[in-house]
Amino acid sequence: MMTDRSGIGLTSQRARNRLVDLLREMGISSEEVLELISSTPRHLFVDEALASRAYENNALPIGFGQTISQPYVVAAMTQVLRETGPLDRVLEIGGGCGYQSAVLARIASQVYTVERIAALANRLRSRLHELRIANVRVRHGDGRLGWASQAPFDAVLVAAAAPTMPKALLEQLSIGGRAVMPIGRQGDQMLTLFRRTEDGFEEQPLQRVSFVPLLDNVD
Ligand code: SAH
């Protein structure tokens, strides 16, 4: 299972290169981030039946009513965190299938990811293990609380939308730390960059996006 890292046909390097060209046209300018997208095997993070669509720029279902984020959005969030400061310790909220975690793992020293659906958290753990990605710690729980015992973080990436940024996540940023999160309700979300300064927090709207909601009950 899941040994075909390089991919064939629609999961081949050619399909990935087409995706990278598209992301470049859409404004992803960091060659480092484009290389991460090109070399991370997204087809291994979705159901086999969907693997042939893994290098299209679309969100795809991963079960439990959740989706793997669109490659463009993964690239844009990774790029903004990369370009605004250090990425040593990174907290991800909404690990889902683990694709964004795998991308972050390549540029961060240590990634902490919180996922509220137990089955997804378990699958994420075993998938990262199979791919020999060893610098991601996975926790099943409510990501709105962050991961206090591992704080502070240089960066926080939230992969689900809410009307406001959870306070605990801002509090777990180091000074100079950044957080990126889709803010708003379904159909009206703005990807927003937060930065912790010596004096408080700055906030900058980036672009309109569409994410699944950040949920409050944990199963
Ligand atoms: N980064 C993921 C995107 C997954 S979609 C990927 O690349 O696949 C968003 C995820 O957020 C879902 O898996 C959902 O279960 C999770 N989520 C929603 N609310 C959450 C919460 N309060 N705490 C932690 N995870 C949450």
Side-chain angles (χ1 to χ4, degrees):
M1 226 183 108
M2 289 219 228
T3 45
D4 184 18
R5 260 171 183 270
S6 52
I8 49 162
L10 288 168
T11 64
S12 67
Q13 196 55 49
R14 188 149 19 124
R16 299 181 197 196
N17 291 345
R18 271 197 300 270
L19 174 62
V20 164
D21 289 344
L22 175 65
L23 299 190
R24 198 180 268 122
E25 276 166 34
M26 291 176 78
I28 304 299
S29 54
S30 161
E31 288 303 323
E32 185 186 16
V33 170
L34 291 169
E35 156 55 27
L36 290 177
I37 296 289
S38 166
S39 57
T40 304
R42 191 170 185 256
H43 64 287
L44 300 184
F45 290 86
V46 295
D47 201 82
E48 244 171 289
L50 294 170
S52 64
R53 299 180 53 200
Y55 298 97
E56 294 171 10
N57 184 35
N58 286 322
L60 294 169
I62 56 171
F64 310 94
Q66 305 304 320
T67 54
I68 178 174
S69 302
Q70 201 193 20
Y72 169 73
V73 160
V74 169
M77 291 196 293
T78 306
Q79 176 168 283
V80 73
L81 292 177
R82 181 58 162 175
E83 287 179 345
T84 49
L87 272 188
D88 195 28
R89 296 169 62 75
V90 179
L91 174 66
E92 179 193 24
I93 305 304
C97 68
Y99 174 64
Q100 172 83 70
S101 328
V103 169
L104 288 172
R106 309 255 312 274
I107 46 168
S109 311
Q110 185 67 46
V111 178
Y112 297 86
T113 185
V114 185
E115 169 54 53
R116 75 172 271 280
I117 298 175
L120 285 177
N122 289 336
R123 199 168 69 191
L124 165 54
R125 239 183 239 117
S126 49
R127 185 168 279 150
L128 294 176
H129 182 75
E130 279 172 47
L131 292 172
R132 298 199 174 79
I133 297 172
N135 60 334
V136 179
R137 280 186 63 187
V138 182
R139 178 163 142 185
H140 170 231
D142 184 354
R144 295 173 310 161
L145 306 174
W147 195 325
S149 63
Q150 298 297 340
F153 300 100
D154 301 307
V156 175
L157 186 157
V158 188
T164 56
M165 165 58 97
K167 223 171 144 217
L169 298 182
L170 291 179
E171 282 164 359
Q172 289 173 25
L173 283 175
S174 56
I175 304 291
R178 295 87 58 217
V180 67
M181 174 173 172
I183 300 292
R185 294 172 201 286
Q186 198 114 45
D188 182 24
Q189 299 169 5
M190 181 60 78
L191 191 65
T192 306
L193 179 68
F194 299 82
R195 187 194 296 264
R196 183 169 202 168
T197 67
E198 300 277 357
D199 314 316
F201 296 94
E202 289 169 359
E203 197 178 317
Q204 184 190 340
L206 299 175
Q207 59 187 290
R208 291 178 58 89
V209 284
S210 176
F211 277 80
V212 293
L214 191 68
L215 301 165
D216 49 11
N217 55 328
V218 174
D219 40 56

